[in-house]
Amino acid sequence: MAAALQVLPCLVRAPSRLLFWGPPVARLVSGMALSEQARQLFESAVGAVQPGPMLQRALSLDPDGRQLKVRDRSFQLQQNLYLVGFGKAVLGMAAAVEELLGQHLVQGVISVPKGIRAAMEHAGKQEILLKPHSRIQVFEGAEDNLPDRDALRAALAIRDLAERLTADDLLLVLISGGGSALLPAPIPPVTLEEKQMLTKLLAARGATIQELNTIRKALSQLKGGGLAQAAYPAQVVSLILSDVVGDPVEVIASGPTVASTHNVQDCLYILNRYGLRGALPRSVKTVLAQADSDPHGPHTCGHVLNVIIGSNVLALAEAQRQAQLLGYRAVVLSAAIQGDVKSVAQFYGLLAHVAGAHLIPSTAMASVDETVKLRELAAKLQLSDLQLEEVLEVVVEAKGPVCLLAGGEPTVQLQGSGKGGRNQELALRVGAELARWSLGPVDVLFLSGGTDGQDGPTEAAGAWVMPELKSQAAAEGLDVTTFLAHNDTHTFFCRLQGGKHLLYTGLTGTNVMDAHLLLLRPQ
């Protein structure tokens, strides 16, 4: 009961509104609080990747309504259209398809997060909802983004629909972030609980999303091209809202419409790496052994068209545009931030110091050694698209406030049993790093938020911090190190100043990983 009372102030303080649906009109406001500017920029990023508009841009009908065009491919429509989907943004995507192609739709099945319809109804977001007598059946499951029995029922219904299709049919597959947890269908005799336990163990030991998906695909009926195989010989068009760094279609939602290129040896390497091979259930060993001896060899997906319709890059581009309208020199650092959250936090903390020193060179000089160390940290993170040198050039040339934008999905190695998510963990660690450096007469703010509006098993999307965070926490008897050691960042932010550093949006209806904002404003 005591723990519940500790987080109550957060729940009381949480704003009742959800995000604006579409980019807000940016305005240059002298003296506007950095936290308000950061929230506005985060909203613009999320507004740019709403599922309905993106899907409508990806699809077009010819004038007589009988031919569907997707990129440079055309498909005949004659009451032969079926739809399946899974992910956090799929409800809005399905509503958009229904609006555009409803007269051709025969049947649909989608798997979406538990509670999302009620949340959208409460927010009055009718454009996210299906019509009252829709031909699309909706399953809700995967509470706290974990596969469960409800999600399993949805996955089996999706499989059954796909298996009934013929060569005359067209299957639209809608995929977004969270899709993997919403499409669990283990290969017997593996049970849902066994697969979930193995995934949790891997995640807790720091496995990357790519490694997790390799294991998931090997144990799944539908992932790794399984859904495409179930739908054969029907034509399949997958419309994908990416939540994975680099937008690899074989990784997003574990690639249900992409032939897997991994084999059993890849799985065993991953399990060995994290010390789990000896702890495998007998059922998992059985499935891996069967896959190793599959006489049919790897599956192909020549009947499938996979199309990325939205990504983190698009979200960051809109936030960059809005930041420029607010008077910032804005630059995108990377859309591929990944790696251990501790290393990412160290990088952001040192980046703030070096950038701040370039902004006010006469008062807060960064040493050559510190700039070299920043480059070394960047090299260790191995970010494929990092624009560090360009960022430093922009900061040197800037005559006023600077906004550095990034996105991606760092990983957290769980050490404690606290409550939080990777965005709150990153924000708190960056806050601790900022306190280590002399930043001079520059106001600095860092914000990290999940574009889906839900950071881990919490109601917050993320949090924002400033260099004063550590001293403010100490004044309230909060030890940052202790909360980090227990991965209890949500409890920390709930207690700190009544929860005002938490970012609340509600479920956004989209998901393109996380957005990071580093604002530097000379005083």
Side-chain angles (χ1 to χ4, degrees):
M1 179 63 72
L5 292 174
Q6 289 167 358
V7 301
L8 185 59
C10 280
L11 303 180
V12 172
R13 291 180 61 89
S16 58
R17 69 175 179 88
L18 298 185
L19 286 171
F20 301 123
W21 297 98
V25 178
R27 52 200 168 91
L28 180 59
V29 181
S30 178
M32 181 192 292
L34 280 182
S35 59
E36 183 57 32
Q37 290 180 337
R39 288 172 185 269
Q40 183 173 326
L41 295 176
F42 181 77
E43 287 185 347
S44 70
V46 175
V49 288
Q50 287 306 303
M54 283 189 301
L55 195 139
Q56 289 166 355
R57 289 194 294 268
L59 302 178
S60 62
L61 275 176
D62 68 353
D64 66 3
R66 293 184 178 276
Q67 197 169 66
L68 173 67
K69 188 169 184 180
V70 187
R71 295 284 171 89
D72 59 347
R73 294 274 299 277
S74 294
F75 301 88
Q76 286 297 125
L77 295 179
Q78 45 188 4
Q79 302 297 314
N80 62 337
L81 180 65
Y82 294 80
L83 179 148
V84 297
F86 29 91
K88 296 178 180 179
V90 159
L91 186 61
M93 294 169 75
V97 170
E98 186 176 55
E99 185 69 29
L100 182 66
L101 305 174
Q103 71 272 29
H104 296 286
L105 185 63
V106 179
Q107 182 187 1
V109 178
I110 61 174
S111 178
V112 297
K114 188 176 292 294
I116 193 169
R117 282 182 296 180
M120 296 305 153
E121 288 172 0
H122 179 72
K125 303 301 175 186
Q126 295 302 315
E127 68 274 20
I128 302 293
L129 300 171
L130 297 169
K131 298 181 184 300
H133 302 291
S134 175
R135 293 174 182 172
I136 301 172
Q137 184 179 9
V138 181
F139 288 82
E140 293 192 3
E143 192 167 10
D144 292 334
N145 203 33
L146 295 172
D148 54 22
R149 289 287 160 185
D150 291 330
L152 175 60
R153 280 191 286 272
L156 296 180
I158 287 170
R159 181 200 64 187
D160 292 346
L161 183 153
E163 288 178 341
R164 293 197 302 270
L165 301 181
T166 71
D168 296 324
D169 295 323
L170 172 63
L171 178 65
L172 277 185
V173 182
L174 309 179
I175 303 175
S176 76
S180 191
L182 287 158
L183 194 71
I187 299 172
V190 177
T191 67
L192 182 63
E193 290 75 17
E194 287 171 332
K195 186 178 176 184
Q196 189 173 349
M197 176 197 70
L198 182 56
T199 302
K200 280 183 176 179
L201 286 172
L202 283 165
R205 298 189 184 193
T208 65
I209 185 66
Q210 291 84 356
E211 290 170 329
L212 290 173
N213 283 344
T214 297
I215 299 299
R216 287 167 176 158
K217 286 189 282 189
L219 302 178
S220 174
Q221 297 181 54
L222 297 177
K223 294 163 185 171
L227 176 59
Q229 290 300 312
Y232 185 83
Q235 289 291 304
V236 177
V237 175
S238 284
L239 303 172
I240 304 166
L241 186 60
S242 173
D243 71 327
V244 180
V245 166
D247 308 331
V249 292
E250 71 276 7
V251 173
I252 301 166
S254 302
T257 57
V258 184
S260 178
T261 58
H262 295 288
N263 56 35
V264 173
Q265 292 306 314
D266 296 322
C267 295
L268 296 179
Y269 172 81
I270 293 168
L271 294 168
N272 281 331
R273 180 180 180 185
Y274 295 103
L276 293 174
R277 186 171 177 180
L280 293 180
R282 179 176 297 177
S283 60
V284 173
K285 294 178 181 178
T286 299
V287 168
L288 292 178
Q290 290 172 344
D292 203 22
S293 59
D294 186 352
H296 302 292
H299 298 302
T300 60
C301 295
H303 58 301
V304 178
L305 173 63
N306 290 301
V307 179
I308 299 285
I309 65 170
S311 67
N312 192 266
V313 171
L314 180 63
L316 294 180
E318 179 59 28
Q320 180 185 25
R321 189 178 76 85
Q322 294 293 333
Q324 290 167 344
L325 291 176
L326 281 171
Y328 284 90
R329 283 292 302 274
V331 60
V332 175
L333 179 68
S334 169
I337 298 291
Q338 54 187 336
D340 182 69
V341 70
K342 296 178 185 177
S343 299
V344 174
Q346 290 172 356
F347 172 74
Y348 278 134
L350 187 53
L351 175 63
H353 170 59
V354 172
H358 283 310
L359 278 177
I360 314 290
S362 61
T363 57
M365 199 67 176
S367 70
V368 173
D369 287 345
E370 287 164 351
T371 305
V372 170
K373 184 177 180 182
L374 178 64
R375 292 189 174 103
E376 290 174 349
L377 281 174
K380 287 181 180 178
L381 288 173
Q382 297 182 327
L383 306 179
S384 58
D385 66 341
L386 186 65
Q387 304 295 311
L388 180 58
E389 300 308 319
E390 291 83 349
V391 164
L392 294 179
E393 287 178 12
V394 167
V395 172
V396 169
E397 297 169 359
K399 305 299 182 184
V402 171
C403 174
L404 307 182
L405 299 137
E409 198 166 278
T411 54
V412 177
Q413 293 196 35
L414 298 178
Q415 299 170 311
S417 56
K419 188 175 185 181
R422 64 177 176 268
N423 288 285
Q424 293 164 83
E425 177 104 10
L426 177 60
L428 185 51
R429 289 189 179 278
V430 170
E433 290 293 327
L434 292 176
R436 295 180 53 215
W437 298 105
S438 171
L439 299 170
V442 181
D443 293 325
V444 179
L445 180 143
F446 176 81
L447 178 148
S448 182
T451 56
D452 61 354
Q454 187 175 31
D455 186 37
T458 76
E459 294 187 358
W464 60 271
V465 297
M466 298 181 76
E468 302 81 15
L469 174 132
K470 201 164 185 179
S471 60
Q472 291 169 344
E476 296 189 33
L478 303 173
D479 180 57
V480 170
T481 303
T482 300
F483 282 95
L484 286 173
H486 293 89
N487 300 114
D488 201 17
T489 53
H490 186 66
T491 302
F492 171 86
F493 280 116
C494 281
R495 293 186 186 179
L496 180 67
Q497 298 184 331
K500 82 171 190 177
H501 289 264
L502 284 165
L503 176 66
Y504 285 104
T505 64
L507 295 175
T508 65
T510 191
N511 184 19
V512 292
M513 299 186 291
D514 306 331
H516 306 154
L517 291 84
L518 181 60
L519 305 184
L520 300 103
R521 188 169 66 184
Q523 295 172 359

